[in-house]
Amino acid sequence: MGIITATSSNHWVCPLKVTLPDFSKAKILVIGDIMLDRYWHGGTSRISPEAPVPVVNVQETEDRAGGAGNVALNISALGSQVTLCGITGQDEAADSLSKLLDGHNIQCAFDQRAHQNTITKLRIISRHQQLIRLDFEKDFSLQSGIDLELVADLISQHDLVVLSDYGKGTLQDPQSIIQAARKAGKPVVVDPKGTDFTKYQNATVITPNQSEFDLIAGSSANEEEFLSKGQTQRETLKLDALLVTRSEKGMALFEESHEPFLQPTQAREVFDVTGAGDTVVAALATGLASGLDLKTATQIANLAAGIVVAKLGTATATRQELLNVMLQHQPLSQGVVTESELLELLQKSKASGETIVMTNGCFDILHAGHVTYLKQAAALGDRLIVAVNSDDSVHRLKGEGRPVNPVDQRMEVLAGLASVDWVVEFTEDTPARLIGECLPDILVKGGDYKPDQIAGGEAVMNNGGQVIILDFVDGVSTTKIIEKARG
């Protein structure tokens, strides 16, 4: 988990250092209150003559899955397999939800009831601002919650269970579901609701926000009191863990036999917090179902939340977005690297969608021509690799008296250039094998060559990459510099 640093309150904060696993094999069951979120978008240019309210000229409508449906969408966006189970009506809203979710590869296991109307929330949006929300929630007080026989059958088919409780009646008996899941050896992640958390006893982890936590534990006068209450609540509820989301303060994870794990917020700009809690639950569940421990899954959930609060409405974070933001928070090291280190760095760089450029040479005496050439090469992509001939390789190619500078010095000088990300040595006469291992998106060579004459070019092109020839600066060369120095 990297170096651990102490805060002023003597509790531990672990710096960001995580690796995303393969989420695609995880099978997650989401059970909870299902809602349809509707958005009407339009321009506003005048005030109504009937009342002091803006007039919105509706130009676009959009349906999204809300409540437990948004949790399922977030899980699907991360690449895991997900089934959504909950109560709806037998109406147009339920049909719209089913079609929408099916389009995101989410299996629907709706308990449809003829006498109910699917909960629908309509938001009026103008110029990226929500003006009003209208709730269509006519008498959704259910006489009975979700069918436990249906739930028991679904639990056996999945790796982990999420309970997404919005207090609408689907989860009237969460304890029965928790007991069935734990008996089957399946972890249970709960997004709680209300002031009585005893109904979620024995869950793997529950994820209240700070306000929800304060309702059950009472407000804390200081950080030490909050941390003490967190541990007490976890013990009282017999949870493996308690994760409190704390808005601008980030997250606090409480586990048995561990100090509280404090994770600062990763959000750069908060645009809309709608659905952020759903994202936390989804990312945490996806991480746990993929074999991560609670601390690492919490870090991923924190990153995912930071992504969605910068979006409008109930949004999701994708695996690619997570990879991109992880690269921002834990930048890849640069400079002189070994071949094995380079391949590991390339794996992360490529996963984040970066364009890799590679070139090679002796670079015995670095001159203005080299610098210009490397700047041009770097401008073609996001990362530039420079492969450098070993001393023996230079001697074989250039003859007696070369290289002038040993390879470690040549590489250090190259690594000092702003245009260069990684410098690596190769010992063969050509870098063909190394290029075949790295498989850059763009292979660059200077001089009067044809692409099929360049070492490693065939491997790059067969992999869908490009080979680009750049011109050297006229009149500047290492050989001429050496001749001039010798007089």
Side-chain angles (χ1 to χ4, degrees), residues 104 283 312 364 427 473 476:
H104 289 271
L312 181 64
D364 194 3
T427 59
V473 176
V476 183

Side-chain angles (χ1 to χ4, degrees), residues 30-37 64-70 72 83-89 93-94 97-98 101 107-112 117-121 136-137 140 142 146 164-166 168-171:
V30 178
I31 307 170
D33 297 304
I34 300 174
M35 311 171 199
L36 176 64
D37 284 339
R64 299 182 187 178
N70 190 46
T83 299
L84 176 62
C85 180
I87 298 170
T88 68
L97 276 168
S98 181
L101 294 165
Q107 299 295 317
C108 295
F110 292 169
D111 181 354
Q112 293 188 294
N117 293 322
T118 302
I119 297 175
T120 303
K121 299 180 182 294
F136 301 86
E137 194 175 330
F140 205 79
L142 302 174
I146 196 71
S164 180
D165 195 349
Y166 277 76
K168 304 301 182 183
T170 299
L171 296 172

Side-chain angles (χ1 to χ4, degrees), residues 320-446:
Q320 187 60 54
E321 287 174 323
L322 274 176
L323 288 167
N324 292 343
V325 77
M326 285 169 65
L327 204 57
Q328 295 171 18
H329 287 286
Q330 50 183 68
L332 300 180
S333 60
Q334 296 176 285
V336 177
V337 294
T338 64
E339 182 175 331
S340 60
E341 289 171 339
L342 175 62
L343 295 178
E344 184 176 342
L345 289 164
L346 281 177
Q347 185 178 18
K348 295 179 180 179
S349 179
K350 290 180 179 180
S352 297
E354 293 184 327
T355 299
I356 308 300
V357 183
M358 188 170 185
T359 191
N360 67 277
C362 298
F363 299 99
D364 194 3
I365 298 177
L366 196 66
H367 51 68
H370 289 141
V371 174
T372 300
Y373 165 76
L374 292 172
K375 281 184 179 179
Q376 292 173 345
L380 297 172
D382 301 302
R383 300 281 185 176
L384 175 61
I385 306 167
V386 180
V388 181
N389 294 71
S390 66
D391 290 344
D392 287 343
S393 175
V394 174
H395 183 73
R396 291 193 298 269
L397 293 172
K398 301 294 185 178
E400 197 66 32
R402 300 288 298 275
V404 174
N405 294 302
V407 67
D408 57 342
Q409 294 182 18
R410 289 184 280 131
M411 291 198 297
E412 283 297 335
V413 172
L414 285 165
L417 297 178
S419 56
V420 176
D421 289 283
W422 300 305
V423 184
V424 63
E425 179 184 8
F426 67 95
T427 59
E428 303 94 336
D429 288 345
T430 78
R433 180 198 59 78
L434 178 60
I435 292 169
E437 292 288 335
C438 296
L439 290 176
D441 300 291
I442 301 172
L443 178 62
V444 177
K445 191 66 178 175

Side-chain angles (χ1 to χ4, degrees), residues 140-434:
F140 205 79
S141 56
L142 302 174
Q143 294 181 353
S144 59
I146 196 71
D147 186 337
L148 295 180
E149 289 187 9
L150 169 64
V151 168
D153 184 55
L154 289 170
I155 288 173
S156 65
Q157 302 171 32
H158 294 80
D159 303 316
L160 180 144
V161 177
V162 174
L163 301 186
S164 180
D165 195 349
Y166 277 76
K168 304 301 182 183
T170 299
L171 296 172
Q172 290 187 15
D173 185 15
Q175 194 55 222
S176 294
I177 300 174
I178 292 169
Q179 290 177 12
R182 297 307 295 263
K183 185 177 180 180
K186 309 299 173 70
V188 182
V189 177
V190 180
D191 187 4
K193 191 72 172 180
T195 57
D196 178 15
F197 282 8
T198 59
K199 57 188 174 182
Y200 308 121
Q201 282 188 145
N202 299 302
T204 305
V205 57
I206 66 173
T207 63
N209 60 36
Q210 185 72 65
S211 297
E212 291 167 335
F213 177 82
D214 289 345
L215 284 175
I216 66 161
S219 298
S220 301
N222 52 50
E223 190 74 353
E224 290 297 326
E225 185 179 352
F226 162 70
L227 295 174
S228 175
K229 287 181 176 180
Q231 290 288 34
T232 298
Q233 287 298 319
R234 187 203 61 76
E235 294 170 5
T236 300
L237 296 172
K238 302 176 183 178
L239 306 169
D240 291 5
L242 169 68
L243 176 63
V244 182
T245 58
R246 311 178 69 198
S247 189
E248 71 279 358
K249 292 184 178 180
M251 298 180 179
L253 176 68
F254 302 90
E255 290 184 86
E256 184 178 5
S257 303
H258 289 80
E259 287 290 320
F261 177 76
L262 306 178
Q263 186 69 25
T265 182
Q266 301 294 345
R268 292 186 174 184
E269 180 181 1
V270 177
F271 194 59
D272 190 343
V273 298
T274 306
D278 295 336
T279 300
V280 170
V281 173
L284 183 72
T286 301
L288 293 176
S290 302
L292 297 180
D293 59 57
L294 276 159
K295 284 185 179 179
T296 308
T298 295
Q299 289 179 296
I300 289 175
N302 198 30
L303 287 176
I307 292 169
V308 299
V309 296
K311 301 180 181 181
L312 181 64
T314 48
T316 61
T318 67
R319 178 184 176 84
Q320 187 60 54
E321 287 174 323
L322 274 176
L323 288 167
N324 292 343
V325 77
M326 285 169 65
L327 204 57
Q328 295 171 18
H329 287 286
Q330 50 183 68
L332 300 180
S333 60
Q334 296 176 285
V336 177
V337 294
T338 64
E339 182 175 331
S340 60
E341 289 171 339
L342 175 62
L343 295 178
E344 184 176 342
L345 289 164
L346 281 177
Q347 185 178 18
K348 295 179 180 179
S349 179
K350 290 180 179 180
S352 297
E354 293 184 327
T355 299
I356 308 300
V357 183
M358 188 170 185
T359 191
N360 67 277
C362 298
F363 299 99
D364 194 3
I365 298 177
L366 196 66
H367 51 68
H370 289 141
V371 174
T372 300
Y373 165 76
L374 292 172
K375 281 184 179 179
Q376 292 173 345
L380 297 172
D382 301 302
R383 300 281 185 176
L384 175 61
I385 306 167
V386 180
V388 181
N389 294 71
S390 66
D391 290 344
D392 287 343
S393 175
V394 174
H395 183 73
R396 291 193 298 269
L397 293 172
K398 301 294 185 178
E400 197 66 32
R402 300 288 298 275
V404 174
N405 294 302
V407 67
D408 57 342
Q409 294 182 18
R410 289 184 280 131
M411 291 198 297
E412 283 297 335
V413 172
L414 285 165
L417 297 178
S419 56
V420 176
D421 289 283
W422 300 305
V423 184
V424 63
E425 179 184 8
F426 67 95
T427 59
E428 303 94 336
D429 288 345
T430 78
R433 180 198 59 78
L434 178 60

